[in-house]
Amino acid sequence: MSSPAVVFLDDAPPRRDLLGGKGYGLVRLSVAGLRVPPGFVVTTAAYRAAIPDALRRQIRYRLEGVAPDAPVGDVDRVTAEIRAGIVDATAQHDGRGAVDEAYARLSERCGTEAAVAVRSSSAAEDAADRSFAGEHDTFLWVRGAEDVQRRVRDCWASLFTTRAVHYARGLAGGAVEPAMAVVVQQMVPARSAGVFLTLNPLNGDRSKVVIESVWGLGEPLVSGQVDPDRFLVDKVTGEILRRDVVVKPTRLVTDPGSGRGTAVAAVTDADQQQPSLSDPEIGELVRLARLVERDAGRPQDGEFATEDGAAPGNVFLVQARPETAWSHRAPQPVAAGKTAMDAILGTLSGFGRGGSDPLQRGG
Amino acid sequence: MVDRFPSPFDVATPPGAEGWERMYDWYHLFGEERREADEQRFWFQDRLHHPDVLHPYDEIQCECWWQALGAFNTRIFAMPPAYGVDQRVLNGRLYVTPIAAPPEEVAARAEEFARRAGHYYEHWDDIYAEWKHKVLGKLDEIRAIDFEPLPALEPDSVVFDHVGFSSGYRMIRDFDRLVLTMYETYQYHFELLNIGYAAYVNFFLFCRNAFPDISEQAISRMVGGLRVDLYRPDDELKRLAKEAERLGIGEQVLGSSGATALFAELDGSDAGREWVADWNATADPWFLIATDPGHPGGYHTYPTWLDSPDIPLSAVREYVRRVRAGESIDRPTGEVLAERDRITAEYRELLAVDDVAVFDESIALARKVFAYIEEHVLYIEHWIWSTFWSKSRQLSRALAAMGEFDEAEDMFFLRRYEVAEALYDTVAGWSVGSRGRGADYWRPIVAERRRIYEALRVAPLVPALGPPPDEINEPFTVMLWGITSTTVREWLTSGGDGEVVTLKGTPGSRGVVEGVVRVVTHVDQLADVQLGEVLVCPATSPAWSPAFARVSATISDVGGIMSHTAIVCREYQLPAVVGTGVAVATLRTGQRVRVDGDNGVVTVLD
């Protein structure tokens, strides 16, 4: 087998089949010279080597035995058994040594036993036409080699969550050849975190970047549990055109007791109504988002985090992937086929219609 | 909230101003005969062009644009939805209302407009070159006019050159010429202005459609930034500052008090003489700059830099100080242009493929017309109007010297038709060797009008009259005056006496700044402006440019995103909120405010 079991983000071949969607996105960011938290990918090759042929056949057989209209309870039972089987069967897999070695190197780089995020990175997800958003597992604030090993195997197993199986069947008719890479990446002790989108999802306008952010870790925002601050920024000029700052009473932090896992903490009264990103942080984030978009050649969405310290150095991209809703369609023309004179006549006669001030900023 | 402004027929005459109507032309007044129509119309006070009470003589400025703007919109280019802008004078102040074309005419007018304005757009650069030639020729004509007191005996030349007419006749003729030449020049002013604005507005709205939340500033940055003559006067001041340093006379330039004393002092050295010669060569025409706080050239009362060299001198001093402090005083034209090209290319890349062609055509046209939109202000408002007022003042001095008035300024309390009468009175008396009725006749009239004028000036402002429309949809009202449906609502609600905490205007230049207010209503007060203060003014003109080097932000009462204030603040990268309507009346020097040029909001902080 020529493909390595583990590759570091800053030294990996940009191959989606090897890195999975998430790992591939991160490597692209890294190659483009963007700040991403340090980490490594346990490749799909490691996954394939770890799953014995017999188990793979057995999984396929069991999944095929589930009727498309089977009750959810039945599917749950089958997928749970498959996942348990994977976790058991991979306890002594060949790539263990490589994972231990990589985690040790990462810890050395951080100066302490690294707290990491362990994220599933399936070969099918984050492709331009499907997001698989949230179908596989992610584990935050994992610390210690044993825990990391276990979470890597949990991620492999999460290739077969009920959600993912349904999603794969619905979108791809079940034809997805399952393979899972796992991203192990240093946790950013996020002061604030959130998501960005390099177009305005309300109207498809590609000259804007939309940012949502919260205090603390971004997970509650990504999973839709909290209402974030929202910013609309002009990509070309950097102007912050709209700011909707909400009251944010809580934030997710690393569990202060164990240093592993996360906990909900209160936000101080003073900070609750403050924007969770400063203007320089927004400026840096927009710059990074544009670089990612340029590099990918199409609109992107992604996640970011900021840590304590001064902008721009404190802004990190945690991941980026192609935007899937609007980027299939070309921008809609507003004056297609018109001459400037046609447009001038339209402008003069249509002026002021629609009940608002035509030259005032909308909204 | 009240839903309409007072009827023009219900606005009281300010105490002491009774009889003000006789100061203005009868056709310029609201009248009972057209009461029914006029009460149905929405009138707003034109503080952009005429922020102060009009002198009777200065009414000619309003007349010029009333007729010329109207004719070009209504009769020449057939601007599809808009006829002209009607005017009335009430309590000495100018009110205007745009007139919409009847809806049934719009389609036919559109066809004509495409043919007529299309010809201009297609040949814009050539036509503009012709235009400059034409207009600068008018400047020469006005400059050639000379009003001196009439001689006791005509010079030999009248006889031996067979002139064939008297100096008295020539004076009557030249006054007519002065007025007609000015009138003709203002035709040319509107020959290109409104179709230019139409092309600009078109590009503006195209961008709004393609990029729904794009800011005004982003759009105007794609169009502006050209190296146009309008900025030349300020550039010349900077050049003179650097020259003073190069010649080693910077200390002298900084030290002395008045321009006259300084120039006398500099006459003592070669370097000084060289600099003064440079100054004099530069001053004509570049210091032919009107200092009105509103639209430049709107009144006879404001001196030009040429008349008051202390004004440009104080600017030169400021630049010398900044050069000495190691600052760069050059306008960042290169950066502005590079940024313009970058922004344009990036938006263009984001367009739908099918929109690229119309974008290219529209921006090319918008940029072409924009040079005119900026430069015509220099040629016509500054050079020609200033010369017109200067010649008018020369005439007033000649007539006063001949006993027609007690003092020269009296002439400006006469309507221009009355000035023609006074002129005939003088010339007839001179011709026959007798005397006219002269000052004895005008004395009580002028005395009464002076009283009325003062009473009108202190009367409370009425920003608008009549029922406001549901929406302001006249392109030029919005673009040029900065008056929008929102502004009108603000006027209606801010009628009370409650403490004003925020003012809304148009975002003229981006950025947010907090600072201390300095209210300036006259260019003389610019010397008081302290570094970093927020300039609050009725409006600005190029005469105010030196102030932008000192202030941290600007708030104006009048003007849209294409106003001088907005354009210059973008150049200097200062936040600006323009067209607030009430900043001068509401804000006080020394107050702390936040100026939000991104959203067009001013917040009083204490």
Side-chain angles (χ1 to χ4, degrees), chain B residues 41-81:
Chain B
R41 300 159 92 182
F42 170 65
W43 302 87
F44 60 89
Q45 199 194 320
D46 178 16
R47 277 182 288 173
L48 177 63
H49 304 92
H50 306 280
D52 208 346
V53 171
L54 297 163
H55 282 81
Y57 183 80
D58 297 8
E59 197 182 0
I60 185 176
Q61 218 281 353
C62 310
E63 281 187 27
C64 278
W65 75 255
W66 188 10
Q67 185 275 324
L69 182 152
F72 274 94
N73 266 17
T74 314
R75 313 284 173 197
I76 295 180
F77 286 120
M79 192 69 78

Side-chain angles (χ1 to χ4, degrees), chain B residues 226-397:
Chain B
L226 294 169
R227 203 180 283 279
V228 293
D229 274 353
L230 182 60
Y231 298 103
R232 180 76 180 274
D234 193 37
D235 291 344
E236 290 295 329
L237 297 174
K238 292 169 175 169
R239 192 184 59 76
L240 283 166
K242 289 184 195 163
E243 275 296 290
E245 286 293 85
R246 186 186 67 80
L247 291 164
I249 56 164
E251 204 60 41
Q252 274 173 292
V253 169
L254 282 177
S256 200
S257 48
T260 319
L262 173 67
F263 292 167
E265 185 189 325
L266 289 173
D267 200 36
S269 72
D270 285 347
R273 277 191 295 276
E274 185 183 336
W275 191 78
V276 173
D278 188 354
W279 175 290
N280 289 332
T282 304
D284 190 2
W286 300 113
F287 293 174
L288 202 50
I289 292 293
T291 56
D292 310 42
H295 196 60
Y299 294 87
H300 80 277
T301 39
Y302 292 91
T304 63
W305 289 2
L306 208 54
D307 302 323
S308 302
D310 284 348
I311 296 171
L313 178 60
S314 73
V316 168
R317 284 181 173 148
E318 177 62 27
Y319 288 133
V320 170
R321 277 190 284 271
R322 291 177 57 198
V323 166
R324 292 188 163 199
E327 285 176 53
S328 166
I329 57 173
D330 299 320
R331 266 184 318 120
T333 311
E335 283 167 46
V336 170
L337 277 179
E339 188 63 1
R340 177 185 94 154
D341 292 344
R342 179 190 72 82
I343 291 174
T344 306
E346 291 190 9
Y347 281 120
R348 186 177 184 276
E349 211 174 285
L350 294 166
L351 286 168
V353 176
D354 290 348
D355 279 339
V356 171
V358 66
F359 174 87
D360 287 348
E361 206 191 340
S362 299
I363 193 173
L365 186 56
R367 285 176 177 176
K368 265 198 273 195
V369 302
F370 192 68
Y372 173 79
I373 290 171
E374 295 208 300
E375 285 185 330
H376 85 277
V377 176
L378 183 74
Y379 304 136
I380 293 192
E381 268 68 20
H382 288 290
W383 290 2
I384 299 190
W385 272 111
S386 293
T387 308
F388 173 84
W389 297 124
S390 149
K391 295 297 177 183
S392 299
R393 286 193 300 266
Q394 194 193 17
L395 174 64
S396 73
R397 288 192 299 271

Side-chain angles (χ1 to χ4, degrees), chain A residues 188-193 214-217 251-252 271 275-278 281 305-311 314:
Chain A
V188 175
R191 195 166 62 89
S192 60
V214 293
W215 292 120
L217 300 170
R251 63 194 170 119
L252 192 70
D271 281 350
S276 47
L277 288 175
S278 69
E281 286 166 350
T306 73
E307 56 181 14
D308 284 331
N314 69 332

Side-chain angles (χ1 to χ4, degrees), chain A residues 1-306:
Chain A
M1 185 196 80
S2 58
S3 296
V6 171
V7 289
F8 269 79
L9 289 175
D10 53 9
D11 186 30
R15 281 174 49 193
R16 179 189 295 279
D17 63 329
L18 196 62
L19 304 171
K22 205 166 285 169
Y24 174 72
L26 284 166
V27 167
R28 293 279 310 236
L29 297 183
S30 196
V31 168
L34 300 179
R35 275 186 302 280
V36 297
F40 57 88
V41 180
V42 183
T43 64
T44 53
Y47 168 83
R48 289 203 172 92
I51 307 287
D53 284 348
L55 178 58
R56 186 173 297 130
R57 278 194 300 275
Q58 192 192 342
I59 291 170
R60 195 182 309 147
Y61 172 74
R62 298 207 57 174
L63 282 177
E64 281 166 7
V66 180
D69 54 353
V72 174
D74 290 3
V75 185
D76 277 347
R77 191 172 42 77
V78 170
T79 54
E81 284 168 15
I82 292 173
R83 291 199 302 276
I86 290 175
V87 173
D88 285 347
T90 56
Q92 299 301 326
H93 69 94
D94 291 347
R96 278 185 69 90
V99 173
D100 275 345
E101 198 183 311
Y103 180 68
R105 256 177 74 191
L106 188 61
S107 294
E108 202 175 307
R109 219 190 265 192
C110 303
T112 170
E113 192 170 52
V116 292
V118 181
R119 298 173 191 273
S120 308
S121 177
S122 103
E125 76 177 4
D126 289 353
D129 54 350
R130 58 187 93 110
S131 73
F132 274 84
E135 306 309 331
H136 308 298
D137 286 343
T138 283
F139 303 95
L140 301 179
W141 294 97
V142 180
R143 205 188 283 269
E146 267 320 296
D147 283 6
V148 169
Q149 292 284 5
R150 170 62 201 239
R151 290 314 188 189
V152 167
R153 285 153 56 215
D154 285 340
C155 282
W156 284 345
S158 79
L159 195 49
F160 299 97
T161 62
T162 304
R163 290 170 310 197
V165 167
H166 271 301
Y167 197 76
R169 287 179 166 208
L171 268 169
V176 179
E177 170 65 23
M180 180 68 93
V182 180
V183 174
V184 179
Q185 198 176 16
Q186 191 202 338
M187 284 299 300
V188 175
R191 195 166 62 89
S192 60
V195 296
F196 66 86
L197 180 56
T198 64
L199 52 73
N200 184 347
L202 299 179
N203 52 24
D205 177 3
R206 295 179 184 212
S207 70
K208 305 300 181 298
V209 176
V210 174
I211 298 168
E212 293 185 339
S213 66
V214 293
W215 292 120
L217 300 170
E219 241 49 41
L221 187 164
V222 174
S223 57
Q225 293 163 26
V226 298
D227 198 13
D229 295 337
R230 196 169 285 121
F231 305 92
L232 179 69
V233 187
D234 191 295
K235 219 181 249 182
V236 177
T237 62
E239 294 158 290
I240 302 169
L241 299 167
R242 291 208 195 125
R243 311 162 181 266
D244 300 316
V245 177
V246 299
V247 178
K248 301 168 287 298
T250 60
R251 63 194 170 119
L252 192 70
V253 295
T254 173
D255 190 327
S258 63
R260 302 168 190 219
T262 55
V264 175
V267 173
T268 64
D269 287 351
D271 281 350
Q272 285 188 13
Q273 298 189 45
Q274 289 298 312
S276 47
L277 288 175
S278 69
D279 286 6
E281 286 166 350
I282 291 170
E284 174 65 0
L285 183 56
V286 168
R287 190 183 72 83
L288 297 175
R290 294 199 70 195
L291 285 172
V292 174
E293 182 183 49
R294 285 236 165 114
D295 180 59
R298 60 195 310 168
Q300 299 283 297
D301 65 35
E303 296 171 25
F304 67 91
T306 73

Side-chain angles (χ1 to χ4, degrees), chain A residues 200 203 205-208 232 234-243 290 293-294 330-363, chain B residues 79-81 110 113-114 117-118 121 198-199 201-202 204-206 208-218 221 342-343 346-347 350-352 354-355 358 361-362 365 471-473 475 478-479 484-486 506 510 598-599:
Chain A
N200 184 347
N203 52 24
D205 177 3
R206 295 179 184 212
S207 70
K208 305 300 181 298
L232 179 69
D234 191 295
K235 219 181 249 182
V236 177
T237 62
E239 294 158 290
I240 302 169
L241 299 167
R242 291 208 195 125
R243 311 162 181 266
R290 294 199 70 195
E293 182 183 49
R294 285 236 165 114
Q332 288 303 300
V334 295
K338 283 186 177 178
T339 63
M341 179 54 87
D342 293 338
I344 288 169
L345 286 170
T347 292
L348 288 171
S349 57
F351 211 96
R353 290 197 190 142
S356 65
D357 294 331
L359 300 179
Q360 292 289 306
R361 186 170 296 159
Chain B
M79 192 69 78
F113 180 86
Y121 292 144
V201 177
N202 170 62
F204 192 96
L205 292 185
F206 172 86
R208 267 291 157 81
N209 288 332
F211 307 111
D213 301 280
I214 191 171
S215 69
E216 289 88 345
Q217 291 94 320
R221 280 157 77 193
R342 179 190 72 82
I343 291 174
E346 291 190 9
Y347 281 120
L350 294 166
L351 286 168
D354 290 348
D355 279 339
V358 66
E361 206 191 340
S362 299
L365 186 56
E471 56 192 0
I472 303 282
N473 55 10
V478 182
M479 284 294 287
T484 64
S485 305
T486 313
T506 300
R510 59 185 292 226
D598 296 339
N599 296 299

